Amino acid sequence: MSRPTLLARLVPLVNAGLVYETGSLASSRGRPAQLIRFDDRWLRVLAVDIGHTRARVGVIDIHGRELRSRQALVDMYHSEADATLLPLLDAGAELLAQGDPQERLVGVGTGLPAPIDPRTGRPGRMWTMPRWKDYPVTERIRQRWQVPVLLENDARALAIGEASVHTAGTLLAVKWAHGLGAGLVVDGMLLGGEDGAAGDIGHIRIASDHAPRCRCGQYGCVAAYASGHALTQQLKLSSLDELVARDQAGDARVTEALTTAARHVGTVLAALSSMLNPGSLVLGGIIGRIPTVVEAVDEQLRRTALSAITATLKVTPGALGEHAVTTGLARKVADHVLRPDVVDAALGRAV
């Protein structure tokens, strides 16, 4: 490529803030070569992770590192969607304003504990958040910021985040908190499913006779036995934080309930592992990261599945902790906005 042609290609990228010159390379003849690198210094993603009972808003760099964040309590079952989302966007605006003036917002990623309809880009029906079906999340966010907005199920976003720090080609991740969900990443690609509902493992039925009724209306769902909601109801506790604190304090009743719940989940994950043969099974969420839970899930899975499936399988707590979902959301946005066709379109060139 001739120098004029190369410069013609580079100038729009420099003007768009995507590449920059970092100096020159000594040459034995002719002009010294200019060093060009991807400009990752000031590109930022706003990640809005909304769970059933708590939310996290973070300003993340393009590599998934959280720079600033806030947390808030939410009530997805009782509250109107606007009443939940808009204050979180206010918090995001304040976090963005606290940064260096050179920072540039390139996209917003939002995670919800619901299926995301791939045709409409809106939340699907979910009985735990009845006021959110078809709620225009993307449109609300674009009223604040004219940047790409991507919506994803929170458990699948967690899987994207954890896949960024694990080497397994096939990674199955579980978000176990108020509810139960999962995500599958194969060779860097997330499985979304035909209707955006892939990973809804909480409503796999594990019993029918004399089984507890799930909030979905069915009897015997694994969530009716093992979700954070079910456990706090069963143990008459006020919150998941109390559940974790009591387990850490050695409350035998709580530890026994967690172990029993983990065995139920381990049975379900054994079946999924037999089908998918993952290299890594990552347990995330406030319950999934509890050592007692990880150990019991691992034990039940290996007891249930064939040794050919579990021989090289690693069962671990999430490496990213409470940052997993926001990291996944940031990576999803970065992968989108830096795609060649998206960059071409932004520069006004034909794809």
Side-chain angles (χ1 to χ4, degrees), residues 6-19:
L6 179 60
L7 289 175
R9 298 286 180 90
L10 287 174
V11 167
L13 294 172
V14 172
N15 292 339
L18 292 174
V19 300

Side-chain angles (χ1 to χ4, degrees), residues 315-327:
V315 181
T316 62
L320 297 177
E322 60 186 7
H323 304 282
V325 176
T326 51
T327 297

Side-chain angles (χ1 to χ4, degrees), residues 40-100:
D40 58 356
R41 298 170 297 176
W42 306 112
L43 305 185
R44 301 292 182 257
V45 174
L46 182 66
V48 184
D49 168 22
I50 309 175
H52 289 288
T53 60
R54 62 186 73 198
R56 185 182 192 89
V57 183
V59 175
I60 320 292
D61 74 12
I62 207 71
H63 300 290
R65 293 185 290 262
E66 186 177 275
L67 305 176
R68 303 179 293 281
S69 68
R70 283 191 192 172
Q71 298 185 62
L73 297 178
V74 296
D75 184 349
M76 296 295 278
Y77 185 79
H78 294 100
S79 297
E80 295 292 337
D82 270 351
T84 299
L85 180 65
L86 299 186
L88 296 176
L89 299 185
D90 291 339
E94 292 173 6
L95 289 170
L96 289 168
Q98 293 169 9
D100 190 287

Side-chain angles (χ1 to χ4, degrees), residues 297-332:
V297 167
D298 190 13
E299 181 181 313
Q300 182 67 15
L301 190 154
R302 295 182 192 281
R303 182 188 297 127
T304 307
L306 290 173
S307 59
I309 297 298
T310 62
T312 59
L313 175 63
K314 295 179 180 179
V315 181
T316 62
L320 297 177
E322 60 186 7
H323 304 282
V325 176
T326 51
T327 297
L329 292 170
R331 287 192 166 270
K332 184 178 178 74

Side-chain angles (χ1 to χ4, degrees), residues 166-181:
H166 288 80
T167 58
T170 303
L171 178 138
L172 177 61
V174 175
K175 185 183 181 189
W176 188 353
H178 192 78
L180 266 169

Side-chain angles (χ1 to χ4, degrees), residues 3-192:
R3 186 178 181 88
T5 301
L6 179 60
L7 289 175
R9 298 286 180 90
L10 287 174
V11 167
L13 294 172
V14 172
N15 292 339
L18 292 174
V19 300
Y20 70 109
E21 292 187 9
T22 61
S24 59
L25 189 65
S27 175
S28 58
R29 60 180 184 176
R31 299 179 183 178
Q34 296 300 308
L35 297 176
I36 306 293
R37 64 164 289 175
F38 168 58
D39 195 346
D40 58 356
R41 298 170 297 176
W42 306 112
L43 305 185
R44 301 292 182 257
V45 174
L46 182 66
V48 184
D49 168 22
I50 309 175
H52 289 288
T53 60
R54 62 186 73 198
R56 185 182 192 89
V57 183
V59 175
I60 320 292
D61 74 12
I62 207 71
H63 300 290
R65 293 185 290 262
E66 186 177 275
L67 305 176
R68 303 179 293 281
S69 68
R70 283 191 192 172
Q71 298 185 62
L73 297 178
V74 296
D75 184 349
M76 296 295 278
Y77 185 79
H78 294 100
S79 297
E80 295 292 337
D82 270 351
T84 299
L85 180 65
L86 299 186
L88 296 176
L89 299 185
D90 291 339
E94 292 173 6
L95 289 170
L96 289 168
Q98 293 169 9
D100 190 287
Q102 295 184 80
E103 289 186 343
R104 182 158 61 93
L105 181 67
V106 296
V108 179
T110 304
L112 290 172
I116 307 302
D117 189 323
R119 292 168 289 274
T120 66
R122 294 185 175 186
R125 179 182 177 276
M126 199 68 183
W127 42 89
T128 53
M129 38 189 292
R131 294 162 177 79
W132 284 76
K133 184 178 184 299
D134 290 330
Y135 174 72
V137 180
T138 299
E139 292 86 338
R140 287 288 190 273
I141 295 174
R142 282 186 179 149
Q143 289 172 0
R144 301 284 189 106
W145 302 286
Q146 294 300 309
V147 295
V149 177
L150 276 69
L151 199 57
E152 184 56 270
N153 170 267
D154 61 344
R156 295 201 299 262
L158 181 145
I160 298 171
E162 291 291 347
S164 70
V165 294
H166 288 80
T167 58
T170 303
L171 178 138
L172 177 61
V174 175
K175 185 183 181 189
W176 188 353
H178 192 78
L180 266 169
L184 178 68
V185 178
V186 181
D187 295 333
M189 299 297 292
L190 176 73
L191 177 69

Side-chain angles (χ1 to χ4, degrees), residues 18 38 43 62 333-343:
L18 292 174
F38 168 58
L43 305 185
I62 207 71
V333 171
D335 287 347
H336 172 77
V337 300
L338 297 177
R339 271 187 6 223
D341 61 320
V342 175
V343 172

